[in-house]
Amino acid sequence: MTAHDAIQFMLVGLIVGAAIAKLFQLRFPVAETNRPAAVAMCAAIIFMGIATFQESMVVTDFLGRSLDTNISYAQRHTPAIISFACVRMAFVCWIWPPSRRRRRRMAMHFAVLVAVLAMRWSIAVVSSQHDAAAALAGDWTAAPWTTAAVLLYIVYVGSVFVATALMARGWAREESIARRWTATGLKLIAASACGFFVYIGHKALFLLSAYTVGRPGYDPLAAERPILVTSVFLLVVGLGMPLVATGVPAVALLARQRVGEFCRS
C-alpha cells in the first residue's frame, strides 16, 4: 500500500464516520431537520466513500484478482450508482413536503434504481471477463457488453445530475438569505453535478470516437481522474455543509437539554 492509498483511506474513513455519526444524531428529535433528506444525504456520502475506496489502486487490484473482470467492474459501479440515486432522493425529500406525492416520487426513483442495478448486473453476468478486460484496456470495439453497461451508467448518472444541478441552483437562491451554509452546500452540489456531467460526457465522446474513427491516443482514466476527484470532493463537502448547519445547533440544543436535566435532578 502506498502513502497515497493510506491517506485516501484515512480521509474516506473520516468522511464515512462523520456521516454515520450524523445518522446516530438523527435518532434524537431535532427541530427544523428534514430527517428523510438528511438520511438520504448521509447514505449518499457513505456509498460515495465506498465507491472512492474501491477505486484506489490496491483495492481495484484485489478485486481484479479475486473476481472475474466483468463482476469486478460491476462491483465498482454499484456503490457509485447507489450514491447518485441517494443524492436524487435527498433533493426529492428537500423540495417536496411530506405527502402522498412525495412518497410516489420516492418509490419511482427507488424502482428506477433497482431496475438500473438489475440491468447492470445482468450485463455483468451474461458478458465474459474478456469483454470487460478489453474495455478496461481501451479496446471498446471488442467489448460490446461492457459498452452497453457503460452507456447505461452514462444515461442514468447524466439524467440524475442534470436534474440535481438545476434543482440545487434554484434551491440555493431560495436559501441564500435564511441559511447561508445550506445555500453554499447546494451551490457546491450543483458544481459537482456539472463536473460529473463533464466526466460522463468525456466517457460518451471517448466511446463514440472509439467506434467511429478509432481509439484516441491517450489514457481516458488519466484524463478523467482529476475531474472525478474534484467532483467527488465538491459533492461530499456540499452534502456535508447542510448536515453541519443543522447538526451543530442540534448538538448544542441537546447538550443544553442534558445539562438542564442534570441540574434539575
Side-chain angles (χ1 to χ4, degrees):
M1 182 188 302
T2 65
H4 179 271
D5 287 330
I7 294 172
Q8 181 174 326
F9 290 162
M10 286 190 291
L11 290 175
V12 170
L14 287 173
I15 292 169
V16 172
I20 294 173
K22 179 65 178 181
L23 286 175
F24 276 104
Q25 186 242 322
L26 289 171
R27 296 167 56 202
F28 301 100
V30 180
E32 298 184 2
T33 295
N34 189 325
R35 195 180 299 265
V39 170
M41 291 162 66
C42 289
I45 292 174
I46 291 170
F47 279 103
M48 184 54 68
I50 295 172
T52 305
F53 175 78
Q54 289 189 161
E55 288 301 321
S56 65
M57 189 62 67
V58 62
V59 178
T60 299
D61 290 343
F62 173 78
L63 291 175
R65 292 192 304 269
S66 304
L67 304 171
D68 288 344
T69 309
N70 51 327
I71 301 299
S72 172
Y73 200 22
Q75 170 65 33
R76 289 163 56 189
H77 271 166
T78 298
I81 291 173
I82 295 174
S83 178
F84 299 147
C86 289
V87 172
R88 186 70 181 88
M89 292 183 201
F91 273 89
V92 171
C93 295
W94 233 334
I95 291 175
W96 299 97
S99 62
R100 182 179 298 178
R101 187 177 185 182
R102 188 174 84 174
R103 289 194 296 271
R104 285 200 303 265
R105 292 180 71 89
M106 288 289 287
M108 178 191 71
H109 286 299
F110 183 77
V112 170
L113 170 63
V114 172
V116 169
L117 289 176
M119 286 188 286
R120 179 64 187 90
W121 278 95
S122 296
I123 292 172
V125 170
V126 301
S127 64
S128 68
Q129 59 177 321
H130 301 292
D131 186 289
L136 290 172
D139 188 8
W140 289 98
T141 55
W145 285 107
T146 307
T147 298
V150 172
L151 287 175
L152 173 67
Y153 180 84
I154 287 171
V155 170
Y156 180 70
V157 174
S159 64
V160 166
F161 276 105
V162 166
T164 299
L166 294 174
M167 295 168 67
R169 290 188 60 173
W171 197 251
R173 285 195 293 268
E174 296 181 17
E175 293 280 352
S176 60
I177 298 176
R179 299 182 179 90
R180 294 190 180 278
W181 274 60
T182 301
T184 302
L186 289 169
K187 290 175 183 176
L188 292 177
I189 293 171
S192 76
C194 294
F196 278 114
F197 195 71
V198 171
Y199 163 70
I200 62 172
H202 175 266
K203 278 190 175 296
L205 290 175
F206 193 92
L207 282 176
L208 179 63
S209 176
Y211 273 92
T212 54
V213 298
R215 177 185 175 183
Y218 66 93
D219 182 4
L221 297 179
E224 292 168 355
R225 186 172 295 277
I227 302 171
L228 185 60
V229 170
T230 303
S231 300
V232 169
F233 176 78
L234 291 174
L235 176 63
V236 171
V237 174
L239 289 172
M241 291 186 74
L243 296 178
V244 171
T246 57
V248 172
V251 170
L253 177 62
L254 183 62
R256 286 198 298 269
Q257 292 173 347
R258 294 291 183 265
V259 170
E261 292 171 0
F262 177 79
C263 293
R264 286 193 296 272
S265 63

